[in-house]
Amino acid sequence: MAAFPLTRAAALDRLDAFLPKAGSAYAARRNLVDAGGDHRNVSRLSAALRRRLIGEDEVVGKVLEQHRFEKGEKFIAEVFWRTYWKGWLEQRPGLWTDWLAEVQALDAALDKAAARRLEAAIAGRTGIDAFDHWARELDETGYLHNWARMQVASIWTFTLGLPWQLGAKWTYDRLIDADPASNTLSWRWVAGLHTAGKAYLASADRIAAMTGGRLHAEGLAQSPRIPEAPAHPPRTPLRQPVAPDPAQPALVLITPEDCSLETVLPALDVRAVVVPRSLARGLADRTALDDAAMRAAAHWGCAVRAPDSLAPADLAALAAAQGCTQIVTGFAPAGPVGTALAALRPALAAQGIALAEHQRAWDRLCWPHCGKGFFNLKARIHDLLPELIGQKAPDQAASAMIMAPAR
Ligand SMILES: Cc1cc2nc3c(=O)[nH]c(=O)nc-3n(C[C@H](O)[C@H](O)[C@H](O)COP(=O)(O)OP(=O)(O)OC[C@H]3O[C@@H](n4cnc5c(N)ncnc54)[C@H](O)[C@@H]3O)c2cc1C
């Protein structure tokens, strides 16, 4: 059975082990879904990347140390899909809160027949072999291969006729890499709502081919019925966070949005590390947060505090006791952590404490290119790379490869 790294050390080990396969082998084999559950053709780094136990710059930088740009390009482009979805949602954050509201309303309004179909789907009892296999795999492991996610979302929406929003809730609640942007927007993409009129339709033949004939899918919808939905909301400007003040002492607040802050803010004057339990959505988050807290405390030589909640008065008191007027955390994009911090910010400000967010260069440089289609970002990857991975001073050979690839 596959394993999914949830500590930084495990993620770095996984990356090292996967590197030889990140070039042409990945390009050729990444979509072959191993129905035995051993996902050896893909990196299985998503749970670590999602929480930034390891940075995109680290992953891409290492890939380019081993592979020429054109060989590693397919894998690198996949890493940028995560960036794209985050940047796209960040410019339409209302889609996240709309989805939360729609889930509640749809849940309450399901008729009996739809409720039975939904229950059967989640339990892996639809009678569609491939769907049932993947529903059970998701339940047992918290992971599905990307291609399996596409089939599952398509069958849910077009064959079972269930609302995509409730499918997105199902996977968001179970995926070990659950991510507001990648999950919600991928479901919208499959349903035909991201690129107007373009839906993803699962096919029995392709499922048999990609699973080496192990999985079958009888009775799939032959055409997609794209759900009615309003047009995309207009793009809003990217949020400009208050940046940390390197001259001031700080409390560091660790959230599941950035679990390796010590690697990007090594010289910050940190007096204590705070890891609020209420921000963990489950065991995977707790494991990552514990690992992050331990590393942060060791790096900055300070204590860890683990309050149950984000009560502003408690945080302000803790900051004051340590002589700090700023609390520094990783940038929290649209999602539950972003919502929690948006509420915390004014409450702390009222007590004279600034909540500063460190925005990684990766996001700052890429997100402005994420407002339209993915290819708008993809076309810039090559030119952005030197600056993106230059943050970590890649070796000369890697830089040379990036500067002069055949496109
Ligand atoms: C319906 C649906 C729901 C999804 N929900 C999530 C989710 O909640 N969280 C999540 O992290 N990913 C989600 N994805 C994207 C993708 O399936 C996973 O990131 C990928 O399968 C993770 O496995 P891996 O690390 O082995 O990927 P690899 O193939 O090894 O790719 C390397 C890295 O690139 C990124 N990546 C690859 N494919 C995608 C993609 N299509 N979109 C965004 N990033 C990608 C991931 O960070 C991944 O770790 C979803 C995709 C679909 C179709």
Side-chain angles (χ1 to χ4, degrees):
M1 193 59 79
F4 306 95
L6 283 166
T7 64
R8 179 166 165 79
L12 291 168
D13 284 351
R14 165 62 52 77
L15 175 60
D16 277 347
F18 184 72
L19 280 177
K21 294 201 265 182
S24 36
Y26 181 83
R29 302 181 64 81
R30 71 190 183 94
N31 275 342
L32 299 178
V33 187
D34 189 334
D38 178 357
H39 299 289
R40 73 191 81 166
N41 297 324
V42 289
S43 71
R44 286 162 281 146
L45 279 169
S46 54
L49 274 166
R50 186 265 170 272
R51 298 175 176 85
R52 285 200 161 138
L53 285 158
I54 187 169
E56 291 90 335
D57 54 338
E58 295 177 284
V59 172
V60 170
K62 283 257 196 172
V63 168
L64 286 167
E65 281 172 21
Q66 286 222 0
H67 301 279
R68 295 180 58 80
F69 177 78
E70 57 273 26
K71 294 276 184 206
E73 191 173 8
K74 191 71 218 166
F75 181 79
I76 291 169
E78 292 305 310
V79 174
F80 275 90
W81 268 103
R82 165 178 305 285
T83 310
Y84 171 68
W85 289 134
K86 271 172 97 168
W88 199 91
L89 187 63
E90 203 50 26
Q91 296 176 68
R92 295 163 184 91
L95 280 181
W96 166 253
T97 41
D98 287 354
W99 172 70
L100 291 174
E102 286 161 19
V103 166
Q104 276 205 338
L106 285 162
D107 231 357
L110 270 190
D111 63 33
K112 275 201 181 133
R116 270 200 302 275
R117 284 202 306 284
L118 186 134
E119 221 180 276
I122 288 178
R125 284 191 281 98
T126 63
I128 302 170
D129 174 13
F131 185 97
D132 293 349
H133 172 87
W134 285 320
R136 285 195 299 270
E137 182 180 2
L138 174 61
D139 217 31
E140 284 161 19
T141 67
Y143 179 85
L144 284 182
H145 185 286
N146 179 61
W147 201 78
R149 296 184 204 205
M150 287 159 56
Q151 315 316 305
V152 159
S154 177
I155 296 171
W156 175 286
T157 308
F158 301 124
T159 299
L160 302 176
L162 291 164
W164 70 267
Q165 294 94 329
L166 298 184
K169 171 86 168 88
W170 168 51
T171 53
Y172 186 69
D173 286 347
R174 282 168 178 74
L175 283 169
I176 196 170
D177 59 23
D179 177 71
S182 286
N183 188 62
T184 317
L185 299 181
S186 296
W187 274 86
R188 284 176 58 90
W189 176 83
V190 168
L193 301 177
H194 187 70
T195 313
K198 246 182 125 180
Y200 180 83
L201 193 64
S203 116
D205 288 348
R206 276 202 306 273
I207 289 176
M210 291 301 190
T211 61
R214 283 203 261 184
L215 293 178
H216 303 277
E218 303 293 323
L220 297 191
Q222 295 302 304
S223 62
R225 188 190 284 186
I226 297 177
E228 277 178 29
H232 294 153
R235 257 170 107 169
T236 54
L238 286 161
R239 189 164 67 81
Q240 300 301 318
V242 173
D245 181 346
Q248 296 297 322
L251 285 194
V252 159
L253 175 71
I254 298 181
T255 80
E257 295 298 342
D258 199 321
C259 287
S260 56
L261 277 173
E262 80 285 359
T263 66
V264 283
L265 294 171
L268 199 64
D269 174 7
V270 178
R271 303 294 168 91
V273 169
V274 183
V275 191
R277 297 281 152 206
S278 59
L279 293 183
R281 287 185 69 240
L283 182 61
D285 274 349
R286 284 199 295 279
T287 307
L289 287 175
D290 285 349
D291 178 63
M294 203 183 61
R295 274 181 286 107
H299 174 85
W300 283 306
C302 61
V304 177
R305 302 270 187 273
D308 287 333
S309 75
L310 270 179
D314 294 351
L315 283 179
L318 198 52
Q322 299 288 340
C324 302
T325 54
Q326 67 170 342
I327 297 181
V328 173
T329 191
F331 185 94
V337 176
T339 303
L341 296 193
L344 181 63
R345 198 172 297 115
L348 284 176
Q351 310 204 35
I353 308 287
L355 181 61
E357 284 171 272
H358 175 70
Q359 184 175 36
R360 290 195 180 219
W362 187 278
D363 297 342
R364 184 169 42 76
L365 294 168
C366 292
W367 285 357
H369 307 296
C370 298
K372 298 180 185 159
F374 175 68
F375 293 95
N376 201 44
L377 174 64
K378 187 167 185 253
R380 288 174 167 83
I381 292 177
H382 168 268
D383 294 341
L384 283 168
L385 274 176
E387 200 173 349
L388 291 175
I389 64 170
Q391 308 298 320
K392 288 277 159 72
D395 70 15
Q396 291 296 316
S399 303
M401 275 190 274
I402 298 159
M403 297 306 288
R407 286 269 207 127

